[in-house]
Amino acid sequence: PKLSIKIIGYSQDSKQEVVNKNLAEKRAKFIQDYLVSKKIVKKRMVVSGATSKKSSIEIEILDTEDNPNENQEQPVKSIFDE
């Protein structure tokens, strides 16, 4: 199957939103770098950061294979809390 990976880093919501969003993106980038080191192709991954009530990493593995019954991606989610 054709798979892509969406990695979203979250940091705690506070008054320093820009700083926290940058931290969240760095967390997601760290995961991306780790996966690249394990031979997963970087261009299959999308990285972003956001703020939330608690710090975590969300990874969505999307099946992008053309499916005649459904024309949408099928996510499988994992969330790792700190």
Side-chain angles (χ1 to χ4, degrees):
K2 294 181 182 179
L3 300 175
S4 64
I5 301 170
K6 183 177 183 180
I7 306 165
I8 306 169
Y10 292 96
S11 65
Q12 288 184 320
D13 204 5
S14 75
K15 294 178 183 176
Q16 298 178 338
E17 187 172 336
V18 173
V19 171
N20 286 332
K21 188 166 190 262
N22 288 338
L23 176 61
E25 287 176 10
K26 286 180 184 179
R27 288 179 176 158
K29 176 84 170 91
F30 179 82
I31 299 297
Q32 180 186 41
D33 291 344
Y34 173 78
L35 293 174
V36 168
S37 78
K38 298 298 179 187
K39 310 293 186 221
I40 296 177
V41 179
K42 187 174 185 175
K43 69 181 183 178
R44 289 185 171 229
M45 293 182 260
V46 175
V47 174
S48 66
T51 57
S52 181
K53 292 191 187 283
K54 63 187 200 177
S55 297
S56 65
I57 296 287
E58 179 178 335
I59 300 174
E60 292 182 12
I61 301 171
L62 304 167
D63 180 356
T64 56
E65 188 95 64
D66 290 334
N67 185 339
N69 297 326
E70 293 182 34
N71 194 15
Q72 34 183 323
E73 298 171 334
Q74 300 297 314
V76 177
K77 293 185 182 182
S78 299
I79 298 179
F80 302 93
D81 291 329
E82 291 184 12

